Amino acid sequence: MGPLTKNIPLVYCCFAFFIGNLYHSHSQDSIPDYQHEIALNTIYLLADASAYLVYENRFSDKFSAGAGLWYGRYGDGSSDFTDGFGDGTRDYEITPFARWYVRGTQRTSFFIQGFASIYGGRYDGISRETTAAGFGVYRRGINNYTNLALGAAIGQEFLLFKKRVSLELVFGLGGDLIGRNSYYDYDWGVSTAQSGINIGYRF
Amino acid sequence: MRKIFGILSVCFLFAISSCISDDDFFSPLITIEDGFVFDNQENYQLGDTIYFTLEFSRYLPEEGQPNLLDIFESTGANEFFYDIEFSKFSSFSNSYQRVFAEERNYYSPDGETNSASYNPVTETYTSTTAIVLVEPGEYQLNFNFTYFGNYNYTPNNVYLNIQNIGVNTPQEYFFTVTE
């Protein structure tokens, strides 16, 4: 991702928050319930041209559960490992989550979310193997990996168009529990981010 | 206003977390023990030639591993390059100063200098170096902590850095050359 592309989510995030705050002052009436929601993470769409879909089941006034599914090819050398230096890709991510809406079913509510992330991809790595003769040997090759991470997120939800449409700002970070260390293991033990602006349809 | 600052902080952290990453580093510690052999006569005449040899197996011990590492299969390298220190005592600095000799005075009878070539028969990497002693003085030949590397590695192979250490033989030799 180039610097400009990296800045798109940040600018978009701030802009959406500004719009959301304007909206917040208008109405706080309680709502009819739509239990199901399908949302699209727009930041992934804009920044990486990849689809991150989120299903959410709001089974009570204040609590919901769901899962996100992302598929893409994200990483240096993701299309071609032959340069020998691309460390790897993140190809998919499945993110089950649970949410607590602080303001319940109001048209705008802050929420706190806990999530797990099962993600994986491929990496161009060096592994030590044992030959038939019993000697060690280092071999370079492309391998698959799957990691499990846990994390937490906070966010704000706004319900629009007679509460049929939701707009969410969410930010969360998680760290690996199981899996390989990779290029994407950010500092401070953070390996995955659940962030973005989700636009959803409720039904 | 507090909320705005809160969200902006979140945005900032998001931007930061998008930019920071660690690299993987691959640096196994592989050692050769007493790889160099030099029969030091300690006193030489001007014009004498000294020889030292190097030989190490393609199967080398690696720290933290239960079995020997096959460096030939790991790297695909037909030669490993190295650099040793050949020094002469200087009264100017009261210390040994490195000598860079020209090719006719520092050469290998069996190939390229500072390069250990693979011999498939013995499954070892070998090298012989000759030094013609063309100046009188006090000299030092130091094999301690010499490193070997397959610098011409390709992306599909592995780069290894191997260290020579002296265990049963001295790796630092001193001799005198007189007219």
Side-chain angles (χ1 to χ4, degrees):
Chain A
M1 250 192 297
L4 183 61
T5 317
K6 273 186 178 171
N7 285 332
I8 288 175
L10 180 62
V11 174
Y12 194 10
C13 201
C14 293
F15 175 72
F17 172 72
F18 176 69
I19 296 295
N21 260 300
L22 288 179
Y23 172 78
H24 174 76
S25 59
H26 283 288
S27 61
Q28 291 295 317
D29 36 342
S30 63
I31 58 169
D33 289 332
Y34 296 108
Q35 190 178 351
H36 307 283
E37 178 181 321
I38 296 286
L40 179 68
N41 186 313
T42 57
I43 286 183
Y44 277 80
L45 192 65
L46 289 174
D48 207 31
S50 62
Y52 194 148
L53 289 172
V54 181
Y55 168 75
E56 182 181 0
N57 187 319
R58 200 148 170 175
F59 54 82
S60 79
D61 282 355
K62 292 206 169 189
F63 294 98
S64 73
L69 175 63
W70 173 78
Y71 180 79
R73 290 289 164 92
Y74 185 72
D76 289 345
S78 58
S79 60
D80 183 3
F81 282 115
T82 54
D83 60 5
F85 299 104
D87 181 70
T89 67
R90 185 172 295 194
D91 293 348
Y92 67 89
E93 191 162 353
I94 302 165
T95 314
F97 66 85
R99 270 184 194 174
W100 172 48
Y101 285 92
V102 176
R103 292 173 57 84
T105 55
Q106 299 299 308
R107 294 187 66 181
T108 174
S109 178
F110 178 78
F111 63 81
I112 297 171
Q113 171 178 312
F115 67 88
S117 176
I118 302 154
Y119 67 91
R122 300 158 298 139
Y123 68 97
D124 180 10
I126 297 168
S127 57
R128 195 181 197 278
E129 300 166 10
T130 300
T131 63
F135 296 107
V137 62
Y138 283 107
R139 289 202 172 98
R140 181 184 288 279
I142 296 171
N143 305 293
N144 295 320
Y145 74 94
T146 301
N147 284 16
L148 172 65
L150 287 182
I154 57 171
Q156 186 87 14
E157 182 188 63
F158 307 95
L159 300 178
L160 312 169
F161 303 110
K162 296 183 180 178
K163 301 145 199 168
R164 272 289 185 187
V165 174
S166 72
L167 173 68
E168 288 176 5
L169 280 73
V170 57
F171 172 78
L173 297 173
D176 280 342
L177 280 186
I178 301 169
R180 74 175 281 269
N181 294 327
S182 75
Y183 183 85
Y184 297 102
D185 284 355
Y186 304 130
D187 281 351
W188 314 307
V190 173
S191 64
T192 185
Q194 283 294 300
S195 303
I197 298 170
N198 299 340
I199 296 176
Y201 177 74
R202 310 176 78 230
F203 55 98
Chain B
M1 183 59 80
R2 283 172 59 193
K3 195 182 284 183
I4 291 174
F5 279 126
I7 296 292
L8 285 177
S9 302
V10 162
C11 294
F12 175 74
L13 282 173
F14 173 65
I16 292 291
S17 70
S18 304
C19 302
I20 299 171
S21 66
D22 285 335
D23 286 326
D24 270 347
F25 292 103
F26 172 73
S27 56
L29 182 58
I30 303 158
T31 54
I32 300 168
E33 294 180 358
D34 305 318
F36 290 97
V37 174
F38 174 49
D39 182 19
N40 186 13
Q41 302 297 315
E42 296 188 351
N43 291 293
Y44 295 92
Q45 296 293 310
L46 198 65
D48 285 351
T49 301
I50 61 171
Y51 296 89
F52 62 87
T53 60
L54 166 68
E55 183 170 14
F56 58 92
S57 170
R58 65 183 274 186
Y59 308 108
L60 294 176
E62 179 184 2
E63 189 179 74
Q65 297 294 341
N67 53 1
L68 298 175
L69 179 70
D70 186 340
I71 62 168
F72 179 74
E73 189 163 339
S74 295
T75 62
N78 283 311
E79 55 187 344
F80 276 83
F81 299 94
Y82 63 93
D83 188 28
I84 56 103
E85 282 187 20
F86 175 52
S87 308
K88 183 184 178 188
F89 188 82
S90 168
S91 298
F92 287 109
S93 61
N94 197 31
S95 63
Y96 284 91
Q97 298 297 311
R98 187 151 183 191
V99 174
F100 294 96
E102 64 172 329
E103 260 181 49
R104 61 178 176 163
N105 295 324
Y106 188 102
Y107 62 93
S108 174
D110 54 10
E112 194 178 339
T113 54
N114 296 339
S115 168
S117 303
Y118 181 64
N119 184 337
V121 177
T122 59
E123 295 192 323
T124 58
Y125 289 87
T126 58
S127 169
T128 302
T129 304
I131 304 175
V132 184
L133 303 171
V134 294
E135 277 183 15
E138 303 288 327
Y139 287 89
Q140 179 195 41
L141 200 52
N142 189 354
F143 302 127
N144 268 320
F145 306 112
T146 302
Y147 287 89
F148 305 87
N150 53 316
Y151 299 119
N152 57 344
Y153 70 105
T154 64
N156 290 328
N157 283 327
V158 174
Y159 170 73
L160 292 179
N161 204 15
I162 302 166
Q163 184 185 35
N164 176 71
I165 55 173
V167 175
N168 298 315
T169 58
Q171 295 293 291
E172 200 175 30
Y173 297 91
F174 298 90
F175 54 87
T176 305
V177 178
T178 53
E179 293 193 49

Short mmCIF file of all heavy atoms in Angstrom, two decimals, chain A residues 35-81:
data_model
loop_
_atom_site.label_atom_id
_atom_site.label_comp_id
_atom_site.label_asym_id
_atom_site.label_seq_id
_atom_site.Cartn_x
_atom_site.Cartn_y
_atom_site.Cartn_z
N GLN A 35 -33.37 -7.65 13.52
CA GLN A 35 -32.43 -8.51 14.23
C GLN A 35 -31.15 -8.76 13.44
O GLN A 35 -30.08 -8.93 14.01
CB GLN A 35 -33.10 -9.84 14.58
CG GLN A 35 -32.25 -10.69 15.53
CD GLN A 35 -32.93 -11.99 15.91
OE1 GLN A 35 -34.11 -12.19 15.61
NE2 GLN A 35 -32.20 -12.86 16.58
N HIS A 36 -31.27 -8.78 12.13
CA HIS A 36 -30.12 -9.18 11.32
C HIS A 36 -29.52 -7.99 10.58
O HIS A 36 -30.24 -7.05 10.23
CB HIS A 36 -30.54 -10.25 10.30
CG HIS A 36 -31.24 -11.41 10.92
ND1 HIS A 36 -30.58 -12.39 11.58
CD2 HIS A 36 -32.56 -11.72 10.99
CE1 HIS A 36 -31.45 -13.29 12.03
NE2 HIS A 36 -32.66 -12.89 11.69
N GLU A 37 -28.25 -8.11 10.34
CA GLU A 37 -27.58 -7.04 9.60
C GLU A 37 -26.43 -7.61 8.78
O GLU A 37 -25.67 -8.45 9.26
CB GLU A 37 -27.04 -5.99 10.57
CG GLU A 37 -26.30 -4.87 9.88
CD GLU A 37 -25.73 -3.84 10.86
OE1 GLU A 37 -26.42 -3.52 11.86
OE2 GLU A 37 -24.60 -3.40 10.64
N ILE A 38 -26.36 -7.16 7.56
CA ILE A 38 -25.20 -7.49 6.71
C ILE A 38 -24.48 -6.17 6.41
O ILE A 38 -25.11 -5.21 5.96
CB ILE A 38 -25.62 -8.13 5.37
CG1 ILE A 38 -26.31 -9.46 5.60
CG2 ILE A 38 -24.43 -8.28 4.45
CD1 ILE A 38 -25.38 -10.58 5.99
N ALA A 39 -23.19 -6.13 6.69
CA ALA A 39 -22.45 -4.87 6.52
C ALA A 39 -21.20 -5.10 5.67
O ALA A 39 -20.69 -6.22 5.58
CB ALA A 39 -22.06 -4.30 7.87
N LEU A 40 -20.77 -4.02 5.07
CA LEU A 40 -19.56 -4.05 4.25
C LEU A 40 -18.57 -3.05 4.84
O LEU A 40 -18.92 -1.90 5.10
CB LEU A 40 -19.90 -3.67 2.81
CG LEU A 40 -18.73 -3.62 1.82
CD1 LEU A 40 -18.20 -5.02 1.56
CD2 LEU A 40 -19.18 -2.97 0.52
N ASN A 41 -17.34 -3.51 5.03
CA ASN A 41 -16.30 -2.62 5.52
C ASN A 41 -15.76 -1.80 4.34
O ASN A 41 -15.12 -2.34 3.43
CB ASN A 41 -15.17 -3.43 6.16
CG ASN A 41 -14.13 -2.55 6.81
OD1 ASN A 41 -13.67 -1.58 6.22
ND2 ASN A 41 -13.76 -2.89 8.04
N THR A 42 -16.03 -0.51 4.36
CA THR A 42 -15.70 0.32 3.20
C THR A 42 -14.21 0.64 3.11
O THR A 42 -13.70 0.91 2.03
CB THR A 42 -16.48 1.63 3.25
OG1 THR A 42 -16.19 2.29 4.47
CG2 THR A 42 -17.97 1.36 3.16
N ILE A 43 -13.53 0.60 4.23
CA ILE A 43 -12.09 0.93 4.19
C ILE A 43 -11.32 -0.17 3.45
O ILE A 43 -10.44 0.11 2.63
CB ILE A 43 -11.54 1.16 5.60
CG1 ILE A 43 -12.05 2.51 6.09
CG2 ILE A 43 -10.03 1.12 5.61
CD1 ILE A 43 -11.54 2.93 7.42
N TYR A 44 -11.65 -1.40 3.74
CA TYR A 44 -11.00 -2.50 3.02
C TYR A 44 -11.29 -2.38 1.52
O TYR A 44 -10.45 -2.62 0.68
CB TYR A 44 -11.49 -3.85 3.53
CG TYR A 44 -10.79 -4.32 4.77
CD1 TYR A 44 -11.14 -3.83 6.02
CD2 TYR A 44 -9.76 -5.24 4.70
CE1 TYR A 44 -10.50 -4.26 7.17
CE2 TYR A 44 -9.11 -5.68 5.83
CZ TYR A 44 -9.48 -5.19 7.07
OH TYR A 44 -8.83 -5.61 8.19
N LEU A 45 -12.54 -2.00 1.23
CA LEU A 45 -12.95 -1.90 -0.17
C LEU A 45 -12.14 -0.82 -0.89
O LEU A 45 -11.63 -1.03 -2.00
CB LEU A 45 -14.44 -1.56 -0.23
CG LEU A 45 -15.12 -1.69 -1.58
CD1 LEU A 45 -15.12 -3.14 -2.03
CD2 LEU A 45 -16.55 -1.16 -1.50
N LEU A 46 -11.99 0.32 -0.24
CA LEU A 46 -11.28 1.43 -0.89
C LEU A 46 -9.78 1.22 -0.91
O LEU A 46 -9.11 1.48 -1.90
CB LEU A 46 -11.60 2.74 -0.16
CG LEU A 46 -13.02 3.27 -0.34
CD1 LEU A 46 -13.23 4.47 0.55
CD2 LEU A 46 -13.25 3.65 -1.79
N ALA A 47 -9.25 0.78 0.21
CA ALA A 47 -7.79 0.72 0.33
C ALA A 47 -7.20 -0.49 -0.37
O ALA A 47 -6.10 -0.43 -0.89
CB ALA A 47 -7.41 0.71 1.81
N ASP A 48 -7.93 -1.59 -0.37
CA ASP A 48 -7.32 -2.83 -0.83
C ASP A 48 -8.14 -3.53 -1.91
O ASP A 48 -7.75 -4.61 -2.36
CB ASP A 48 -7.18 -3.77 0.38
CG ASP A 48 -6.05 -4.74 0.21
OD1 ASP A 48 -5.07 -4.37 -0.46
OD2 ASP A 48 -6.16 -5.86 0.72
N ALA A 49 -9.26 -2.91 -2.28
CA ALA A 49 -10.15 -3.51 -3.28
C ALA A 49 -10.54 -4.93 -2.90
O ALA A 49 -10.64 -5.82 -3.75
CB ALA A 49 -9.52 -3.47 -4.66
N SER A 50 -10.72 -5.14 -1.61
CA SER A 50 -11.12 -6.47 -1.16
C SER A 50 -12.41 -6.35 -0.34
O SER A 50 -12.72 -5.29 0.20
CB SER A 50 -10.02 -7.10 -0.32
OG SER A 50 -9.78 -6.34 0.83
N ALA A 51 -13.14 -7.43 -0.29
CA ALA A 51 -14.45 -7.39 0.38
C ALA A 51 -14.35 -7.94 1.80
O ALA A 51 -13.84 -9.04 2.01
CB ALA A 51 -15.44 -8.22 -0.43
N TYR A 52 -14.84 -7.15 2.74
CA TYR A 52 -14.94 -7.60 4.13
C TYR A 52 -16.41 -7.50 4.51
O TYR A 52 -16.93 -6.41 4.72
CB TYR A 52 -14.07 -6.71 5.01
CG TYR A 52 -13.82 -7.27 6.39
CD1 TYR A 52 -12.62 -7.01 7.05
CD2 TYR A 52 -14.75 -8.06 7.04
CE1 TYR A 52 -12.37 -7.52 8.30
CE2 TYR A 52 -14.52 -8.58 8.29
CZ TYR A 52 -13.33 -8.32 8.91
OH TYR A 52 -13.08 -8.82 10.15
N LEU A 53 -17.05 -8.64 4.58
CA LEU A 53 -18.47 -8.69 4.90
C LEU A 53 -18.66 -9.07 6.36
O LEU A 53 -17.92 -9.92 6.89
CB LEU A 53 -19.18 -9.72 4.02
CG LEU A 53 -19.32 -9.35 2.54
CD1 LEU A 53 -19.85 -10.54 1.76
CD2 LEU A 53 -20.23 -8.14 2.38
N VAL A 54 -19.64 -8.43 6.99
CA VAL A 54 -19.91 -8.70 8.40
C VAL A 54 -21.38 -9.03 8.58
O VAL A 54 -22.26 -8.28 8.12
CB VAL A 54 -19.56 -7.46 9.28
CG1 VAL A 54 -19.82 -7.76 10.74
CG2 VAL A 54 -18.12 -7.04 9.06
N TYR A 55 -21.65 -10.14 9.20
CA TYR A 55 -23.03 -10.47 9.59
C TYR A 55 -23.15 -10.26 11.10
O TYR A 55 -22.28 -10.68 11.87
CB TYR A 55 -23.36 -11.92 9.24
CG TYR A 55 -24.66 -12.35 9.88
CD1 TYR A 55 -25.88 -11.92 9.37
CD2 TYR A 55 -24.66 -13.16 11.02
CE1 TYR A 55 -27.07 -12.27 9.98
CE2 TYR A 55 -25.85 -13.53 11.63
CZ TYR A 55 -27.05 -13.08 11.11
OH TYR A 55 -28.24 -13.43 11.72
N GLU A 56 -24.26 -9.64 11.50
CA GLU A 56 -24.47 -9.39 12.92
C GLU A 56 -25.89 -9.78 13.28
O GLU A 56 -26.85 -9.43 12.56
CB GLU A 56 -24.23 -7.91 13.24
CG GLU A 56 -24.40 -7.60 14.72
CD GLU A 56 -24.18 -6.12 15.00
OE1 GLU A 56 -23.89 -5.36 14.06
OE2 GLU A 56 -24.32 -5.73 16.17
N ASN A 57 -26.03 -10.47 14.38
CA ASN A 57 -27.35 -10.88 14.89
C ASN A 57 -27.56 -10.17 16.22
O ASN A 57 -26.87 -10.45 17.20
CB ASN A 57 -27.38 -12.39 15.07
CG ASN A 57 -28.77 -12.88 15.42
OD1 ASN A 57 -29.49 -12.25 16.21
ND2 ASN A 57 -29.16 -13.99 14.83
N ARG A 58 -28.54 -9.26 16.22
CA ARG A 58 -28.77 -8.49 17.44
C ARG A 58 -29.87 -9.19 18.24
O ARG A 58 -31.05 -8.89 18.10
CB ARG A 58 -29.19 -7.08 17.05
CG ARG A 58 -29.00 -6.09 18.15
CD ARG A 58 -28.67 -4.75 17.57
NE ARG A 58 -28.72 -3.72 18.57
CZ ARG A 58 -28.38 -2.48 18.36
NH1 ARG A 58 -27.96 -2.12 17.16
NH2 ARG A 58 -28.44 -1.58 19.31
N PHE A 59 -29.45 -10.12 19.04
CA PHE A 59 -30.41 -11.00 19.70
C PHE A 59 -31.03 -10.39 20.94
O PHE A 59 -31.97 -10.95 21.50
CB PHE A 59 -29.77 -12.35 20.03
CG PHE A 59 -28.50 -12.25 20.82
CD1 PHE A 59 -28.53 -12.10 22.20
CD2 PHE A 59 -27.27 -12.31 20.19
CE1 PHE A 59 -27.36 -12.01 22.93
CE2 PHE A 59 -26.10 -12.22 20.91
CZ PHE A 59 -26.14 -12.07 22.29
N SER A 60 -30.52 -9.25 21.40
CA SER A 60 -31.18 -8.56 22.50
C SER A 60 -30.94 -7.07 22.34
O SER A 60 -30.23 -6.63 21.43
CB SER A 60 -30.66 -9.05 23.85
OG SER A 60 -29.43 -8.45 24.15
N ASP A 61 -31.54 -6.28 23.23
CA ASP A 61 -31.42 -4.84 23.10
C ASP A 61 -29.97 -4.38 23.13
O ASP A 61 -29.57 -3.48 22.39
CB ASP A 61 -32.18 -4.14 24.25
CG ASP A 61 -33.67 -4.13 23.97
OD1 ASP A 61 -34.06 -4.57 22.87
OD2 ASP A 61 -34.42 -3.70 24.86
N LYS A 62 -29.22 -4.97 24.01
CA LYS A 62 -27.87 -4.45 24.22
C LYS A 62 -26.76 -5.36 23.70
O LYS A 62 -25.60 -4.96 23.71
CB LYS A 62 -27.65 -4.21 25.72
CG LYS A 62 -28.51 -3.08 26.27
CD LYS A 62 -27.87 -2.44 27.47
CE LYS A 62 -28.60 -1.15 27.82
NZ LYS A 62 -27.91 -0.38 28.84
N PHE A 63 -27.12 -6.54 23.29
CA PHE A 63 -26.05 -7.48 22.91
C PHE A 63 -26.28 -8.03 21.51
O PHE A 63 -27.42 -8.21 21.08
CB PHE A 63 -25.97 -8.63 23.91
CG PHE A 63 -25.54 -8.19 25.28
CD1 PHE A 63 -26.48 -7.96 26.27
CD2 PHE A 63 -24.20 -7.99 25.57
CE1 PHE A 63 -26.09 -7.53 27.52
CE2 PHE A 63 -23.82 -7.56 26.83
CZ PHE A 63 -24.75 -7.33 27.80
N SER A 64 -25.18 -8.29 20.86
CA SER A 64 -25.26 -8.91 19.55
C SER A 64 -24.03 -9.80 19.35
O SER A 64 -23.05 -9.72 20.10
CB SER A 64 -25.29 -7.85 18.44
OG SER A 64 -24.03 -7.26 18.30
N ALA A 65 -24.11 -10.65 18.35
CA ALA A 65 -22.98 -11.50 17.98
C ALA A 65 -22.96 -11.64 16.47
O ALA A 65 -24.00 -11.46 15.82
CB ALA A 65 -23.09 -12.87 18.65
N GLY A 66 -21.83 -11.93 15.95
CA GLY A 66 -21.75 -12.05 14.50
C GLY A 66 -20.39 -12.53 14.08
O GLY A 66 -19.60 -13.03 14.89
N ALA A 67 -20.15 -12.38 12.80
CA ALA A 67 -18.86 -12.80 12.27
C ALA A 67 -18.53 -11.99 11.02
O ALA A 67 -19.43 -11.63 10.25
CB ALA A 67 -18.87 -14.29 11.94
N GLY A 68 -17.27 -11.71 10.86
CA GLY A 68 -16.79 -11.03 9.67
C GLY A 68 -16.02 -12.01 8.81
O GLY A 68 -15.41 -12.96 9.31
N LEU A 69 -16.09 -11.81 7.54
CA LEU A 69 -15.37 -12.67 6.61
C LEU A 69 -14.66 -11.80 5.59
O LEU A 69 -15.29 -10.97 4.92
CB LEU A 69 -16.34 -13.62 5.89
CG LEU A 69 -15.72 -14.51 4.81
CD1 LEU A 69 -14.69 -15.45 5.41
CD2 LEU A 69 -16.80 -15.29 4.08
N TRP A 70 -13.38 -11.95 5.51
CA TRP A 70 -12.59 -11.17 4.56
C TRP A 70 -11.76 -12.10 3.71
O TRP A 70 -11.22 -13.10 4.19
CB TRP A 70 -11.68 -10.20 5.30
CG TRP A 70 -10.73 -9.48 4.39
CD1 TRP A 70 -11.02 -8.43 3.59
CD2 TRP A 70 -9.34 -9.76 4.21
NE1 TRP A 70 -9.89 -8.04 2.91
CE2 TRP A 70 -8.86 -8.83 3.26
CE3 TRP A 70 -8.47 -10.70 4.74
CZ2 TRP A 70 -7.54 -8.83 2.85
CZ3 TRP A 70 -7.15 -10.69 4.33
CH2 TRP A 70 -6.70 -9.75 3.39
N TYR A 71 -11.68 -11.79 2.43
CA TYR A 71 -10.82 -12.56 1.55
C TYR A 71 -10.09 -11.59 0.63
O TYR A 71 -10.68 -10.69 0.05
CB TYR A 71 -11.64 -13.55 0.71
CG TYR A 71 -10.76 -14.35 -0.21
CD1 TYR A 71 -10.03 -15.43 0.27
CD2 TYR A 71 -10.64 -14.00 -1.56
CE1 TYR A 71 -9.20 -16.14 -0.58
CE2 TYR A 71 -9.81 -14.72 -2.39
CZ TYR A 71 -9.10 -15.78 -1.90
OH TYR A 71 -8.26 -16.49 -2.72
N GLY A 72 -8.83 -11.75 0.53
CA GLY A 72 -8.07 -10.86 -0.34
C GLY A 72 -6.64 -11.34 -0.43
O GLY A 72 -6.30 -12.43 0.01
N ARG A 73 -5.81 -10.53 -1.03
CA ARG A 73 -4.39 -10.84 -1.10
C ARG A 73 -3.67 -9.59 -0.66
O ARG A 73 -3.61 -8.61 -1.38
CB ARG A 73 -3.97 -11.22 -2.52
CG ARG A 73 -4.52 -12.56 -2.94
CD ARG A 73 -3.80 -13.66 -2.18
NE ARG A 73 -4.51 -14.92 -2.25
CZ ARG A 73 -4.30 -15.85 -3.16
NH1 ARG A 73 -3.41 -15.66 -4.09
NH2 ARG A 73 -4.96 -16.96 -3.15
N TYR A 74 -3.18 -9.64 0.57
CA TYR A 74 -2.66 -8.43 1.16
C TYR A 74 -1.22 -8.65 1.61
O TYR A 74 -0.97 -9.46 2.50
CB TYR A 74 -3.52 -8.04 2.37
CG TYR A 74 -3.17 -6.75 3.01
CD1 TYR A 74 -3.45 -5.56 2.36
CD2 TYR A 74 -2.56 -6.71 4.25
CE1 TYR A 74 -3.13 -4.36 2.95
CE2 TYR A 74 -2.23 -5.50 4.84
CZ TYR A 74 -2.53 -4.34 4.19
OH TYR A 74 -2.21 -3.14 4.77
N GLY A 75 -0.29 -7.99 0.97
CA GLY A 75 1.07 -8.14 1.46
C GLY A 75 2.10 -7.91 0.39
O GLY A 75 1.82 -8.01 -0.80
N ASP A 76 3.30 -7.59 0.83
CA ASP A 76 4.40 -7.40 -0.10
C ASP A 76 4.65 -8.70 -0.86
O ASP A 76 4.71 -9.76 -0.27
CB ASP A 76 5.67 -7.01 0.65
CG ASP A 76 5.58 -5.60 1.18
OD1 ASP A 76 4.69 -4.87 0.73
OD2 ASP A 76 6.38 -5.26 2.04
N GLY A 77 4.81 -8.59 -2.15
CA GLY A 77 5.11 -9.79 -2.93
C GLY A 77 3.96 -10.77 -2.96
O GLY A 77 4.16 -11.94 -3.19
N SER A 78 2.76 -10.29 -2.73
CA SER A 78 1.65 -11.22 -2.62
C SER A 78 1.36 -11.92 -3.94
O SER A 78 0.87 -13.03 -3.96
CB SER A 78 0.40 -10.49 -2.14
OG SER A 78 0.09 -9.45 -3.03
N SER A 79 1.65 -11.25 -5.03
CA SER A 79 1.36 -11.86 -6.31
C SER A 79 2.54 -12.66 -6.84
O SER A 79 2.39 -13.48 -7.72
CB SER A 79 0.97 -10.79 -7.33
OG SER A 79 2.05 -9.89 -7.49
N ASP A 80 3.71 -12.41 -6.27
CA ASP A 80 4.89 -13.06 -6.82
C ASP A 80 5.96 -13.17 -5.73
O ASP A 80 6.49 -12.18 -5.26
CB ASP A 80 5.43 -12.23 -7.99
CG ASP A 80 6.61 -12.88 -8.65
OD1 ASP A 80 6.97 -13.99 -8.24
OD2 ASP A 80 7.17 -12.28 -9.56
N PHE A 81 6.28 -14.39 -5.37
CA PHE A 81 7.28 -14.60 -4.33
C PHE A 81 8.69 -14.72 -4.91
O PHE A 81 9.64 -14.91 -4.18
CB PHE A 81 6.99 -15.87 -3.55
CG PHE A 81 5.90 -15.70 -2.54
CD1 PHE A 81 4.72 -16.37 -2.66
CD2 PHE A 81 6.08 -14.85 -1.46
CE1 PHE A 81 3.72 -16.22 -1.72
CE2 PHE A 81 5.09 -14.68 -0.53
CZ PHE A 81 3.91 -15.36 -0.65
#
